[in-house]
Amino acid sequence: MHRLSLLLLALFAMGAREAIAQDVTTAPGPCATPAAIAVTGSSRVTEATILATTGLRAGDTYGYRDVQRAIELLFATGQFEDVQVTCSLDTSSRATLVVAVRERPLLSGFTITGVDRVSGKEVRDRLEQPVGVPLDPAKVALGIQRADSLYEAKGFYLATIRVDSTITNGQVALSFVVDEGRRLAISGVRIIGNSRVPDDDIVGAMKTKPEGFLFYRTGEFDEIEYAGDLSERIPQLYGSRGFIDFQIVSDSMIVDRELGKAMIDITVREGPRYQIGSFEVLGNRRFPTEAVKEYYPFGEQQTTLAGRATSLIRRGHRNPANTFNSAKWTEAEQKLSEAYSNEGYIYARINPVVERVPGNDSVRTVNLRWEIDERSPAIVNRIDIGGNDYTWETCIREQLVLIPGQVFNRQALIRSYQNISNMNFFEAPLPAPETRPSGDAGDVDIVFNVKEKRTGNLNFGASMGQGTGLGGFVGMNQPNLFGKCKRVELQWQFGRYINDFNGTYTDPNIRQSRISGSATGYHTRSRFRIADLGQSTRTGGQLQFGFPVPWSYYTRLFLSYGGESVRYSEENSTLLGQLASGCKSCFRSTLGLTGTHDTRIGLPFAVDGGLQTIAAQFNGGPLGGTSNFQRYTAELRSYAPLAAFGNQIFGGQPMQLVTALSAKGGVLFGNPGPFFYSQSFALGGTQYGEQLRGYDEFSITPGGYDPTAETSSARRESFGNAYFTATAELGLRLSSALYVHAFAEGGNVWDKPSEFNPTRLFRSVGFGAATLSPLGPLGIDLGYGLDKTDLLGRRAPGWKLHFKLGQLF
């Protein structure tokens, strides 16, 4: 960088002034007592100001030190870039002391160009120059130095800054031209002083890694990450292997600016390895010692099946037996603290003591101790809710599983927070709940802060389904009617193949009780193009009440009654058309009983918890109607988070890697009669009946796989009275509105419940994605049917694309 050019000019001027001062002192006698003093070269600064600054007066006697001091005073004003003092004699030997100055130009402004990969505001703050005052080269050089330090801190050691200037009418404009170059690439990391931990393990624990052959191994240097390597990651690695006296003695970086490379040298002092001696617990009263020791991380522990599988896939370092691991020790202390918090002891303090036993061996011993100060359990004094200016507070309080007067429980607090978030009435992520001490008794107040968002919507547009074709829709949805959590849904879908109107009203807390209720009415005319199923017109409604189950907050029982009349169009070429003559006024009367246990978190794309549902429907018999049968279904879902990426603090929304397992099954006893197409079970595809991706609709039948299902019409033989499907899924929840996944699933359908055999399933694998639309989730899946066959019965696995929109999801 040419950052010192202006400074050199200033130094040259200082040298010149000393030389001139010496010229004055060597002048003849009259110059020591000048008869007059003249000023030349000034235009902005007045002559009187200059003379007053120098303190020189005609007729006084001066030595070289006086002249030198006058020059220094003029330079100190910052107004001049050059000052010269000379002596001239006239014909009568009369001496005149001439002060010749050259004024600095005023800075009219400055510009900065070339800033891209570093914050422009930060660079401008470092290069900032005072405008409207004389240009100071020293300040310019200092600004460049500060900006250069900023770039080095960001890892751009190859950045250069050039200064151009333009002078017009005594004013100068500066232009800082920045060439950021590229980040400094680390060519290698050398570890000096290690003998017990290999270099590869140390570098592997660092985020600062040398450049490699692969495109993602750029080796770019980041000073913040490097500082984290030295202060956290390398010491944690050694601590996990028993070297708790480990120290980083020094570190240095050798930079080759021409090549843009750097070599990092880290000198370490490993110290001895420590093994575990004794362990004791002191101060515990709430939990017995044996219960506390269950959190002790170095006892005899059984290796889980998952742990064994992980060790086979990723063979890592294994410590010698009985080696102290500081990471496990810290993690165990945190788990014990959480256990106390879950029992209300939020003020409990656990002091993990690591006591070194004196010795000189390379392997030494530490005695471990947990010193526990339990204090008194915290009682929830009050729970406040803030920010809800539309939603009624009683509606929100129904989501709480923690109540005033109860012993504080951290898990209950987290679950209450998640329940409020699942309402989807408030902006996400919700702020973490506040816990405040209340009084001197150690009680606690809890505050949930929410921010309302728009919940109701009126939407219209077009929809498309593989089974219903192109159509339009108009819908109104208000899940928080009058701010009382009551839901109203009205929707009309219309098109060439569908005319569907339905409305639902749901009250989750009838008359402020925990009994819920819903009423649904619908009139649907559908022409199913899938397998030329045919056209049906269904009119009906349902009334349902939900009741809480004592001692189980997440379990509810639902009792429902519904009635439905059906008409089929007279199209002998379709499956439903063949029922028209025998079903002029078919009516189905249904009494239903459903039990659900729902602990899912993060809806609509769950990341934790589970859902268990068992439903029984009784049709006909004493209830009347055209048919007489009983239908039983069950669904089990389980979600478990595997990893989180991004902001993982309480209330954050990181990307989450999730595994999900689900199983669904059903049996039907009796004769569904003309209602078989909606009450019996059809398997395959995603648009009709039960889902099995990778296969066409109606392709899985009680008689086996039907290779003609893609081109043939649906048949009565495609429907069965028992089915089972199971799915394993690995998903990545990118946000609350976007989810991608890979799946493996299998399923089958049988003609009779007695033929039920879950060991013979048609299998598929695939991947897909889902997002949210005005009509609900929108999904697309690509499945590979593993057990497809051709017309000759030969294996013919293949891909099948499925998409789902709105009600068809």
Side-chain angles (χ1 to χ4, degrees):
M1 299 182 186
H2 303 290
R3 61 184 68 175
L4 300 180
S5 57
L6 295 176
L7 286 178
L8 293 176
L9 178 62
L11 294 174
F12 175 80
M14 293 178 64
R17 72 186 180 192
E18 293 184 3
I20 294 170
Q22 292 174 359
D23 290 342
V24 172
T25 60
T26 58
C31 289
T33 308
I37 299 177
V39 177
T40 63
S42 64
S43 61
R44 187 176 65 252
V45 184
T46 65
E47 179 177 337
T49 300
I50 295 175
L51 292 178
T53 301
T54 62
L56 300 175
R57 292 182 300 179
D60 291 347
T61 301
Y62 298 102
Y64 79 94
R65 294 186 183 278
D66 300 315
V67 175
Q68 186 178 41
R69 180 174 178 276
I71 294 174
E72 291 175 350
L73 290 173
L74 288 176
F75 272 113
T77 64
Q79 296 286 345
F80 310 104
E81 64 182 29
D82 188 27
V83 178
Q84 296 184 12
V85 179
T86 60
C87 180
S88 64
L89 299 175
D90 57 13
T91 57
S92 60
S93 298
R94 184 172 177 269
T96 300
L97 204 62
V98 180
V99 180
V101 298
R102 185 166 71 248
E103 295 175 331
R104 288 177 176 173
L106 295 178
L107 180 61
S108 60
F110 66 94
T111 61
I112 303 172
T113 59
V115 177
D116 180 33
R117 303 178 67 183
V118 175
S119 169
K121 182 180 183 304
E122 288 188 89
V123 175
R124 187 173 187 85
D125 290 344
R126 301 296 178 94
L127 291 173
E128 188 73 38
Q129 298 293 317
V131 178
V133 300
L135 177 66
D136 188 344
K139 289 184 178 179
V140 175
L142 179 61
I144 293 176
Q145 183 180 4
R146 292 171 57 194
D148 186 49
S149 299
L150 171 66
Y151 272 98
E152 288 186 356
K154 302 289 186 180
F156 294 91
Y157 282 77
L158 308 180
T160 59
I161 302 176
R162 187 182 78 252
V163 185
D164 295 332
S165 61
T166 304
I167 299 178
T168 306
N169 298 327
Q171 293 189 338
V172 61
L174 297 181
S175 176
F176 294 95
V177 182
V178 180
D179 180 6
E180 294 181 327
R182 61 181 179 86
R183 281 184 185 271
L184 187 69
I186 304 302
S187 60
V189 178
R190 288 188 299 226
I191 310 298
I192 303 170
N194 60 310
S195 60
R196 313 286 290 280
V197 178
D199 293 3
D200 291 344
D201 290 4
I202 298 174
V203 176
M206 299 171 62
K207 286 190 175 181
T208 304
K209 299 185 185 297
E211 61 184 349
F213 175 77
L214 300 177
F215 69 93
Y216 59 86
R217 289 287 300 274
T218 61
E220 288 189 349
F221 178 76
D222 187 294
E223 188 163 334
I224 296 177
E225 289 187 350
Y226 180 59
D229 292 333
L230 299 181
S231 62
E232 297 178 12
R233 285 178 278 275
I234 298 178
Q236 286 174 357
L237 170 68
Y238 269 93
S240 68
R241 301 189 180 187
F243 297 94
I244 57 177
D245 293 338
F246 166 82
Q247 291 180 332
I248 293 180
V249 178
S250 64
D251 70 288
S252 61
M253 180 184 297
I254 305 171
V255 179
D256 187 335
R257 292 185 177 271
E258 293 185 1
L259 297 178
K261 309 286 186 180
M263 174 68 73
I264 293 177
D265 287 341
I266 300 175
T267 303
V268 302
R269 181 181 296 119
E270 294 181 322
R273 185 198 298 272
Y274 283 86
Q275 63 182 11
I276 301 166
S278 63
F279 170 68
E280 60 180 336
V281 180
L282 301 178
N284 57 305
R285 298 185 305 275
R286 171 62 181 84
F287 293 116
T289 301
E290 292 304 318
V292 173
K293 286 185 175 180
E294 291 182 2
Y295 295 91
Y296 179 63
F298 305 116
E300 295 184 4
Q301 299 177 344
Q302 297 291 331
T303 304
T304 63
L305 182 60
R308 293 177 182 177
T310 303
S311 64
L312 291 175
I313 297 173
R314 185 179 57 190
R315 292 185 177 274
H317 171 81
R318 298 189 65 179
N319 285 328
N322 210 37
T323 297
F324 177 68
N325 185 324
S326 61
K328 285 186 176 181
W329 178 243
T330 301
E331 182 182 358
E333 182 265 327
Q334 292 173 349
K335 289 181 178 179
L336 182 58
S337 295
E338 290 180 4
Y340 268 98
S341 295
N342 290 338
E343 296 297 328
Y345 291 83
I346 61 175
Y347 302 115
R349 295 292 177 264
I350 300 173
N351 180 30
V353 177
V354 179
E355 188 178 76
R356 294 167 173 80
V357 177
N360 297 319
D361 298 332
S362 61
V363 178
R364 300 184 190 175
T365 301
V366 289
N367 294 328
L368 305 178
R369 183 169 66 251
W370 275 332
E371 296 177 348
I372 303 174
D373 181 10
E374 293 182 342
R375 304 185 182 182
S376 299
I379 305 298
V380 178
N381 179 55
R382 59 181 295 169
I383 300 177
D384 294 327
I385 298 173
N388 55 313
D389 51 9
Y390 176 73
T391 305
W392 283 41
E393 185 169 311
T394 54
C395 179
I396 302 175
R397 288 189 180 276
E398 284 295 327
Q399 308 303 317
L400 302 179
V401 295
L402 196 64
I403 60 176
Q406 176 182 341
V407 175
F408 178 85
N409 185 293
R410 185 173 180 273
Q411 290 298 327
L413 176 66
I414 294 174
R415 185 66 205 197
S416 298
Y417 169 86
Q418 293 166 340
N419 287 349
I420 296 175
S421 180
N422 279 349
M423 296 173 73
N424 288 320
F425 295 165
F426 311 108
E427 291 188 3
L430 290 179
E434 301 177 32
T435 55
R436 303 171 180 170
S438 175
D440 299 329
D443 295 341
V444 64
D445 292 337
I446 300 173
V447 181
F448 291 93
N449 292 300
V450 299
K451 186 176 182 180
E452 301 273 8
K453 71 176 182 180
R454 184 179 65 85
T455 54
N457 61 76
L458 178 67
N459 50 71
F460 56 89
S463 64
M464 180 68 182
Q466 286 174 312
T468 57
L470 180 65
F473 64 87
V474 178
M476 189 275 285
N477 176 30
Q478 175 52 270
N480 191 15
L481 186 65
F482 308 127
K484 296 182 178 181
C485 298
K486 305 180 190 299
R487 176 183 292 271
V488 173
E489 292 180 277
L490 297 174
Q491 192 170 93
W492 178 35
Q493 276 191 284
F494 55 88
R496 179 180 178 185
Y497 300 106
I498 189 170
N499 192 320
D500 178 11
F501 178 83
N502 64 79
T504 301
Y505 172 78
T506 303
D507 188 344
N509 307 106
I510 299 176
R511 301 180 66 85
Q512 303 302 314
S513 70
R514 294 203 62 202
I515 299 176
S516 63
S518 66
T520 302
Y522 56 89
H523 178 79
T524 301
R525 177 181 60 81
S526 301
R527 173 66 170 89
F528 295 99
R529 291 191 301 155
I530 297 175
D532 201 18
L533 184 60
Q535 179 174 304
S536 68
T537 302
R538 301 164 53 229
T539 304
Q542 176 179 277
L543 187 64
Q544 177 177 273
F545 294 95
F547 304 91
V549 174
W551 313 113
S552 181
Y553 182 85
Y554 307 107
T555 304
R556 296 184 72 83
L557 292 178
F558 296 92
L559 182 65
S560 64
Y561 174 78
E564 178 184 83
S565 65
V566 180
R567 299 195 317 271
Y568 303 113
S569 63
E570 297 184 1
E571 300 174 290
N572 292 330
S573 61
T574 66
L575 178 60
L576 297 182
Q578 297 171 13
L579 304 175
S581 60
C583 193
K584 296 296 185 181
S585 59
C586 293
F587 181 78
R588 179 168 63 90
S589 180
T590 303
L591 180 66
L593 180 64
T594 303
T596 66
H597 181 75
D598 190 354
T599 59
R600 291 175 296 173
I601 297 171
L603 297 176
F605 304 118
V607 296
D608 202 352
L611 170 68
Q612 298 84 41
T613 300
I614 299 177
Q617 293 182 358
F618 305 94
N619 298 265
L623 301 173
T626 306
S627 58
N628 185 3
F629 63 95
Q630 299 83 46
R631 191 174 191 263
Y632 303 91
T633 58
E635 180 177 5
L636 306 176
R637 293 179 178 269
S638 179
Y639 303 87
L642 297 180
F645 311 95
N647 186 6
Q648 300 182 42
I649 63 174
F650 198 171
Q653 281 193 317
M655 294 189 298
Q656 290 185 276
L657 186 65
V658 182
T659 181
L661 299 175
S662 65
K664 297 176 64 177
V667 295
L668 186 147
F669 297 98
N671 182 9
F675 298 98
F676 75 88
Y677 85 102
S678 63
Q679 298 303 303
S680 291
F681 307 107
L683 186 62
T686 60
Q687 298 296 317
Y688 191 90
E690 304 301 331
Q691 172 178 283
L692 185 61
R693 290 164 289 189
Y695 297 87
D696 292 293
E697 261 72 22
F698 301 105
S699 61
I700 308 300
T701 73
Y705 175 72
D706 181 5
T708 67
E710 184 177 2
T711 57
S712 65
S713 301
R715 300 189 299 272
R716 177 64 181 88
E717 294 78 14
S718 301
F719 295 83
N721 289 333
Y723 89 99
F724 176 79
T725 61
T727 302
E729 188 170 283
L730 181 65
L732 179 62
R733 186 179 187 263
L734 299 172
S735 69
S736 59
L738 183 59
Y739 180 77
V740 296
H741 60 272
F743 63 86
E745 62 186 10
N748 205 346
V749 61
W750 298 272
D751 187 43
K752 300 177 182 179
S754 59
E755 298 174 353
F756 184 85
N757 181 11
T759 63
R760 177 63 181 99
L761 303 178
F762 290 89
R763 304 160 300 161
S764 67
V765 295
F767 55 91
T771 187
L772 296 181
S773 73
L775 283 180
L778 165 66
I780 183 169
D781 289 305
L782 185 61
Y784 188 77
L786 298 171
D787 297 313
K788 289 182 177 180
T789 59
D790 59 17
L791 295 175
L792 299 178
R794 297 172 298 191
R795 292 188 69 256
W799 292 98
K800 176 66 178 179
L801 181 67
H802 308 277
F803 68 91
K804 301 162 284 189
L805 173 64
Q807 292 181 329
L808 302 177
F809 185 77

